[in-house]
Amino acid sequence: MPAAATPAMVSAALSALVERHETLRSTFHQAADGTAYQVVHSTQPVALLEVPALDAAAEITAVSAELKRVAFDLAEDGLIRAALVLVDGRPAHLLVATHHVVVDGWSWGVLRREFDALVRAAIAGTAPDLPPVPWQPLDQAELERSAQGQRANAAALAYWERQFAVLPDRVLPGTEDDPSGQHLAVLRSPALATALIWLSAHHRVVDSTLVLAALGAVLGMVTGRDRSIVMTMSNNRMTGRARNLVACHAQYTVVNLDLRGDPSFAELIDRAGAAVLVAYRYGHYDFAAMKARERAVAERRGIVFSQPAGLNFKRYVDQTPARADPGPVPLLSTVDSQLEVLPVGGSCARGVVLLSVRPAQDTAELELLADGAAMPPKDLANLVRAMESLLLAGMADPALRLSDLATQCDVHPSPRGPDWALVDHCWVHLTEVSTALRGCPGVTAAFATVDGDSLVAYVAVDGAPPAADALREHALRAATAGLAVIAPHRYVLCRTAPADQHDPAAWQRVETLASE
């Protein structure tokens, strides 16, 4: 708090914020038919707890825990609560808790700026220089119901459907042989902090785009895929009227990074920048309708989707690249970089990879989370190191090709045996597919193989042949269990199994009952 602030000024500033932003004086309810709706109240008092403190740091920890301890009642409570820590009777620190349904990360930036302006105006004895709020959540809801809003939603859903058509079933197929649970690799790198600032100015992109390009590139190197699809957040404040909207307006979007043609580092950054802009354009949509499209495409492809790789940038303030020439390439060393791998418990055996970034002027911090079943801890450490190496090498020589960067970063596709195949953008364990199909009633033997771009299953049956839907169901059940399985595109039903059940040619010679 500014030194001259008083508790009354703080309380008045909070009340003014609630008056300015409808979402802070809303409650949320459910109709008899299950429909949710929002009620905006004319006023909503903010309970400001004043806490005298001798040790401000200790009191902040205790008060923060207390603010978070009691859950919000969305239908009854004001969805904002605050505590003011007083040192020597003067406001020193303000802690504010809200429910995420009313405030997202972007909103915090708006509220902090406006709160600061209100308090400083009160100290100066002047009126705050804050324009009226041009756009409120109910204005947004009306727009979404309009013909214009429905057209935008349809375009966004079509974008998601195109991504689902090429999305792999999981980020990393995994080895399924490491039960150690989730691990977090944490890299703290002064060199990377400098590199992000320089590269951002040189390539005219925000630093989150640089990190996304590096994550997508190393995932492509590890998986051998020619595209990486990374999930990130869009704040959806692309229009002037929505720029200062306080609401939970951000949504996930997916960035499809094309790695084909062995691009140079400079081309990789250009592709990432373009892909991010497209993803943000379609980052606002009807979530339930998007999930329905996901289910339909997954069913059509015979896949159970895990979530794509995720990128979370831990920064709630707007950032734009410097427009001045960044000067010569700085000489950087990773000697001061620190890396540790921490077990965090739990499991995400479907192969989830989540990267969190905490950018700073002096040290950039990358936190990469993955499950041991998807990536052993030592490989996880190599992956986060490779992101640092890729950005530093690309800064020194933007003409380096992706294949050169893979060699410099010492990242290559994970070794897989002959019973693995890349089919429909998914790494499939053919032995697991065969095992899954053998569990179907009436099946005595099964063998999965690849024919061109298709996954084909030869199935020997006893008695009446099972329907293709039953075979498909068994394959999808195995995929749900975390195995590298997708449903075959075609089933060949056979009277008997050949003597050598691992020979595709032998299966082709046995008597066929049906092919569907």
Side-chain angles (χ1 to χ4, degrees), residues 17 27 29 66 103 125 134 140 143 147 196 214 234 326 331 440-443 464:
L17 289 179
T27 52
H29 308 265
E66 180 61 24
V103 171
Q140 181 64 34
L143 172 63
L196 289 173
S234 173
L331 296 176
C440 188
V443 174

Side-chain angles (χ1 to χ4, degrees), residues 8-54:
M9 292 176 182
V10 173
S11 179
L14 286 173
S15 296
L17 289 179
V18 172
E19 176 63 26
R20 284 176 59 78
H21 299 288
E22 289 180 358
T23 189
L24 299 181
R25 45 189 168 90
S26 294
T27 52
F28 296 83
H29 308 265
Q30 193 169 36
D33 64 358
T35 304
Y37 62 94
Q38 175 182 359
V39 175
V40 178
H41 301 270
S42 58
T43 185
Q44 191 80 282
V46 180
L48 179 62
L49 177 67
E50 296 185 17
V51 183
L54 296 176

Side-chain angles (χ1 to χ4, degrees), residues 418 430 446-451 456-458 492 494 498-510 512:
L430 300 176
F447 175 73
T449 187
V450 176
D451 182 10
V456 179
Y458 291 89
V492 180
C494 305
D500 185 356
Q501 295 186 16
H502 301 287
D503 180 8
W507 278 96
Q508 294 171 7
R509 290 192 296 267
V510 300
T512 299

Side-chain angles (χ1 to χ4, degrees), residues 114-147:
E114 292 192 357
F115 178 84
D116 188 66
L118 288 163
V119 170
R120 293 186 184 279
I123 292 171
T126 61
D129 184 19
L130 291 176
V133 179
W135 201 245
Q136 299 279 11
L138 294 183
D139 298 321
Q140 181 64 34
E142 184 175 352
L143 172 63
E144 291 173 13
R145 284 192 296 267
S146 70

Side-chain angles (χ1 to χ4, degrees), residues 237-411:
R237 268 69 168 199
M238 309 307 176
T239 61
R241 64 190 175 197
R243 192 158 186 81
N244 290 319
L245 172 67
V246 172
C248 187
H249 197 45
Q251 285 185 276
Y252 288 113
T253 189
V254 283
V255 182
N256 190 329
L257 180 58
D258 186 354
L259 304 174
R260 290 174 294 184
D262 195 22
S264 68
F265 177 81
E267 291 168 340
L268 175 70
I269 300 306
D270 287 344
R271 292 183 187 186
V276 164
L277 290 178
V278 172
Y280 286 166
R281 178 180 181 182
Y282 300 119
H284 187 58
Y285 48 87
D286 182 315
F287 182 80
M290 181 274 286
K291 297 301 287 185
R293 299 278 180 107
E294 177 187 358
R295 290 190 295 270
V297 175
E299 170 64 22
R300 189 164 64 243
R301 293 178 61 194
I303 288 172
V304 177
F305 287 127
S306 175
Q307 73 177 48
L311 173 63
N312 177 34
F313 230 67
K314 295 184 175 180
R315 179 183 58 213
Y316 291 158
V317 294
D318 194 14
Q319 183 257 354
T320 55
R323 298 195 177 276
D325 185 342
V329 178
L331 296 176
L332 299 176
S333 169
T334 60
V335 67
D336 292 328
S337 296
Q338 298 177 350
L339 176 66
E340 56 182 334
V341 179
L342 309 169
V344 294
S347 178
C348 55
R350 287 284 301 158
V352 173
V353 172
L354 175 63
L355 176 71
S356 295
V357 186
R358 185 176 286 105
Q361 196 75 18
D362 53 353
T363 300
E365 185 173 293
L366 305 184
E367 297 178 345
L368 190 61
L369 176 73
D371 194 84
M375 174 168 280
K378 62 179 180 60
D379 293 339
L380 183 63
N382 291 340
L383 195 65
V384 73
R385 277 286 192 199
M387 292 183 59
E388 178 189 44
S389 299
L390 184 147
L391 290 167
L392 296 181
M395 180 175 63
D397 184 0
L400 274 177
R401 317 303 298 186
L402 197 56
S403 56
D404 300 324
L405 291 166
T407 301
Q408 287 203 18
C409 301
D410 194 25
V411 177

Side-chain angles (χ1 to χ4, degrees), residues 49-65:
L49 177 67
E50 296 185 17
V51 183
L54 296 176
D55 183 343
E59 202 62 57
I60 286 171
T61 300
V63 172
S64 177

